[in-house]
Each structure stands twice: as C-alpha cells, then as structure tokens.
Amino acid sequence: MAKYDYDKSVLKGLTTKDFMNQVKVRQSHIDAGSTDEPKSVYGPNIIAKEIHPEYVEGLIVKKIPTPAGCVYIVAPAKEKGFDELPPFRAGQHVTVQLDMPDKYTKRNYCISSAPSAAKGEHGFYQLVVSDHGPGHASEYINNTWQEGSIIRFSAPAGETYYDPIRDSRDVLAIGVGGPSMALCYDIIDGNADVNLFAIVLIPMPALLGLTGIYQDVADKSGGKIGFIPVLLNGEADGVEKGPVTAELLKEYMTDKETGKLKDMTVLLTCPDPICSMIEAELKKLGVPQRRIRKELQGNEGSVFEIPSYPAKRAVKQYSLKVWARGECTTVTCDSDKTIASAVEGAKIRLKTSCRSGHCGMCHTRLISGEYYTPESTDGRRQADKKFGWIHPCCTYPLSDMEIEVFPER
Ligand code: FES
C-alpha cells in the first residue's frame, strides 16, 4: 500500500509554492468580504419565540375575591402588542414580575384554567393567588392588582404536567387546586386520556367549600376524575384528616380488584415542607422516583432546619458585592435568606423562573466567598459547580461574597 493513498491527479499543476501561498490567498478573500454582521433568521427560532416569548403582558379582565384569596382572569394585553397568550401544558406556571415598594421580585402562579381556554385572541389564563398574610407577595398582589391592571409575566414553564410518553395513565394529584384543576379541564376537553384522582389539601374547615369545583369536574368527567379532601388543620365530619401518611396514600393507590398498589404517576403540587413529607411517605410505599413529579415553588422552610447546614445556626449578616452590567452594588444578606432575595432587595431585576434551584434561569457567577446550597435544590451541572456558578434563588451566604448577576433589562 502506498504511503499516501489518494488520487494525486487532482493536484496536477499545483506546486509547493501554491500551497505556501494559501494563507495569503485566503486572507485576501477575507479582506475583500463584507464587514456587515451576517443576519441569521431561522424558522424554528421564530416559532420558538412565539411559543416561548421572553415575557408577556396581560390585562386583568376579572378579579374574583374568595375566602382563601383572589382569582384573576388574565387576557393578552392588546394595547401592549400581545394579541395571544402562549400555549401551556396543564400543570405549568407563569412567573409574575412584582415591582414592590421595597424590592423587585417574582412569584410563580400555576395556571388553573384549561389549556384550550388560552387559545386565540379571546384566550385567557386563570391565576389563583392565595392569601398568605401580611408581608407576603400575595398580600401585595391582592391589594394592588385590579380589573384593568396590566401585569408582566414569563411564558409558561414547569415540569409538573402529565406526559403520555413518560407517565402512567393513572395519575394521583396531591396538593392545592391549580395544576390539577387545569388537568381536570384537559380531561373533560378530551385532550388528556387520564384517570385522575386528586387528594385536595384543605388548610381549615372553613375552606371545605372550595372542593365544590372538584365535584363539578368529577360530575362531568364520566368517571375519569375522583377526589377526596384532606383537612390539614381542624376537624370535620366525614373528611379525611391530615397529614398525608403512607397509610392514607395506600388506601387510595390500591387497586380494589387485585389488592395491589397501582402504578400511578404522582403530581405533587404543594409547597415545602409538606411536599417533602409526602414524598417520604410515597417512598415508604415503594413508589419509584420516576413516578413522582414535583415542583418546589421557592424554599418556604428555614435553612437552619436542614441537617446538612454547615454553620452555627444563628442569623448573621454578610456583605454581598453584586456586579451587574459593569456596576457594583453592595447589599447585606442575612444568613437565613437567599442571595436572590438580597439582590432583589436592591431592586436588581434578577432573571428567575422556578425559584427552587432547578431551571438555571438565575445562573450567577461566583467571584469570591463561601455559600450553602441545600442538596434537594441544587440543580447545577457538575461543570457549573466546578467553574464557580451558583443559583442564588436557593443559595445562602456563609461569608461575605462577591458575585456577578445577569439581570433583565
Ligand atoms: S430560578 Fe430556577 S434555578 Fe434559580
């Protein structure tokens, strides 16, 4: 076999000098080219932008006060150039931007209306904002959002939805209304071929009337939807009482004919620490992790309660140097508050979506300092950890720190 096995006839006439000149020839072609930046417009990018716009502005067309908070009907804000709302999957949320007097922050609210109701120019989302009392973002929303208000939010996102390729057709939804209501409507619309059983968590007896809406969808579902209310505090006749234990779960997850546990996908749509407690009960029953879909909506508990928290458990204040677009702001951050909350307190508009460490939207560069990220909310890739990137939505300072954030415009 020849040392260089190729057709040498194509090189006929070319000399070594020609080869040596190639660099010069190429450079002359580059120099003769246009200096305009190439414009790349790809069809899939245009569609992706329509389906997942960076943000949407919506008009509140109806505000309905309820004993537990307020229900908002949100239409596209046509005067702001939004003719339609982006589509969503039952169970997804929007992240609402809140410019509060003392901070710029965001909160996630699940869309509790039918995905089909969002379509077209008359489409709408229904958002339920439960009252969590003074000082919470929900108090600010329910006091300030009125009919006619324009609100700004992200395109729908989140993982707590039913996927026919991935999930069992028998679905158990545990939590408060939003995500499972949207799935109920999808079932009634014939868009989701699912048998849904909902364990509806009710905080107190006075709110038991809220289950009327489940009764309504169950009646229309032809046997595909069932539910029970579980009272978390107080007592009422004929109602299961919380907490949600393995024993209670077993009762509703067992196939009455075979006596075996059904293979169910479980959608956990409640805040922590309730969510983690129920997950632990599901594990006791042997429910595999791949069947549990949950989405934390921000860490509600105290970081000091987490056993792996490394420092002495007392509130300390640390200084954070925050770089954003070349400018440095210094803020203080209590050791039991997330870095995101301190940055937002300085009215820097941090990009966030899940606010629970998993989506990567708040991706931030660590310049110096020590920090703590709970394992349960540490969704960073290995490379991010290695090269000094943090998710401030679920990260707490353990020393003074210097970081660089990439805020919204
Ligand atoms: S907002 Fe999702 S990781 Fe921080």
Side-chain angles (χ1 to χ4, degrees), residues 95-107 320 322 331-332 338-353 355 362 392-393 405:
T95 304
V96 174
Q97 181 179 307
L98 301 171
D99 288 358
M100 295 165 74
D102 58 339
K103 62 183 166 194
Y104 290 164
T105 187
K106 294 184 178 177
R107 289 293 180 275
L320 295 185
V322 183
V331 296
T332 52
T338 62
I339 291 170
S341 67
V343 173
E344 290 175 333
K347 296 200 170 179
I348 294 172
R349 251 188 249 288
L350 206 55
K351 281 186 191 166
T352 61
S353 178
R355 298 185 75 86
C362 62
C393 66
V405 299

Side-chain angles (χ1 to χ4, degrees), residues 351-363 391-394:
K351 281 186 191 166
T352 61
S353 178
C354 71
R355 298 185 75 86
S356 297
H358 291 286
C359 73
M361 190 75 92
C362 62
H363 206 56
H391 291 169
C393 66
C394 60

Side-chain angles (χ1 to χ4, degrees), residues 53 68 73 81 164 193 214 289 342 366 372 386 404:
I73 306 297
D193 186 12
Y214 275 95
Q289 191 64 44
L366 174 72
Y372 170 67
K386 185 171 172 188
E404 182 184 13

Side-chain angles (χ1 to χ4, degrees), residues 84 89 93-94 114 122 138 146 160 201 206 218 253 263 265 269 280 288 290 383 392:
E84 291 189 22
R89 302 177 84 157
H93 63 261
V94 289
H122 300 298
S138 59
Q146 306 298 342
T160 327
L201 304 181
M253 294 180 79
D263 176 27
T265 284
T269 59
R290 69 188 161 83

